[in-house]
Amino acid sequence: MSLQRLFHQKLSPFSRKVRLALAEKRVEVALVEEKFWERRIDFLRLNPAGQVPVLEIDGLVLCDSTAICEYLDETRPDPALLPQGASARAEARRLAAYFDDKFHGEVTVNLLHERVTKRLMKSGYPDSGNIKMGLSAIRYHLDYIDWLADHRRWLAGDTMTIADLSAAAQISCLDYVGDVDWKRVPNAKDWYARIKSRPSFRSLLADSLPGFQVPQHYSDLDF
Amino acid sequence: MSLQRLFHQKLSPFSRKVRLALAEKRVEVALVEEKFWERRIDFLRLNPAGQVPVLEIDGLVLCDSTAICEYLDETRPDPALLPQGASARAEARRLAAYFDDKFHGEVTVNLLHERVTKRLMKSGYPDSGNIKMGLSAIRYHLDYIDWLADHRRWLAGDTMTIADLSAAAQISCLDYVGDVDWKRVPNAKDWYARIKSRPSFRSLLADSLPGFQVPQHYSDLDF
């Protein structure tokens, strides 16, 4: 069997999205931590974009979390991460992109990057203005998740999709640093408790980063 | 027939990507200019992310340029915007994401947003530091396109794909403001001349923005 490994970072939401997709589909891969900010030349050969995750599978090198998830869904259809029907698929993809782009840009970058990644990369101190923006943005994004979870069983509809994985991947990183105020959003909390209890989530909940204290509720399934 | 219209901005690369996809598939839609930065409440109801493009088609409201292109490819397969085979599709999706995310974040935001969008939005003056970063980044991104175009007929392989549309959409906006130094990158120029000559590109080349001078070579097919 050819090499199956994922170059990742523990608190990279895009790495986590792919780890969830792999685990849902019961594909086992070796995890390789890649300090992508060091721009290792052999890593840049694998991914000119210089980002994690990069998946080696089926003798291929795959980059970009969305492209990887679409590939996994095409080659390992069970369980499906995209629903049946073009319009339902468009809704799942819209929401996945919403969390990958908008939530990431307005919340994750402002909170996680300032608080964790900068320290890992030794690239300076947290910017309090950015943190303030992130704390303000996460409120309305959690309200949106709360609204979706109140109207649908899963975020994009009746079944769990790539939208749930994208959202849970971002949220789980922020929960690790204690930035999610679960009290305000009971429907979002119920949705997160459901996805967090899946076997695919276990490996994420076992992650720990030296020098960063994990909040007690992070890995607690009855938080 | 139900309403078919695209909410867009002329120099939004993501709007342009969808306009190219629609035109390649010969789907005619009405174009509606949306000043998304005014956060019109009826527009936010269509797209909570508050971004263009938004496509109304088949009685649906579709958001996010990638989700829209995937939908169009699933419902109107001819001509295909994704190649055959999971690994070729992964490569097309990887490159499309590369241009949508990395190229956009490092080049388009720094150049187009500073020079054009800020003026349209009346949100301040160009930041010369950002422009400098954009001018430096566009060089290596054009080198990458040049390398791809030297090794493959289209950016992701033998056929034109979503990767070419994503790249051409970004590049065409920067060409409009005169930021592309074509002399340095003959293979990239050859690729761009090929895609620019397609009938699907005509509507983009006819765009003009009041108050912004179009460089003479912009709409010239023999630039």
Side-chain angles (χ1 to χ4, degrees), chain A residues 24 95 145 148-161 163-165 168 190-196 198:
Chain A
E24 284 292 332
L95 280 170
I145 295 176
L148 289 169
D150 189 29
H151 286 73
R152 301 167 171 178
R153 177 158 168 71
W154 294 94
L155 296 186
D158 288 338
T159 59
M160 196 190 71
T161 68
D164 299 284
L165 304 193
D190 174 66
W191 160 80
Y192 189 64
R194 231 177 321 133
I195 199 163
K196 186 177 169 178
R198 294 175 77 87

Side-chain angles (χ1 to χ4, degrees), chain A residues 106 110-111 114 118 126-136:
Chain A
E106 296 180 359
N110 282 325
L111 296 177
E114 292 296 339
K118 271 187 172 174
D127 178 311
S128 62
N130 289 345
I131 289 180
K132 213 179 250 178
M133 280 205 291
L135 289 174
S136 152

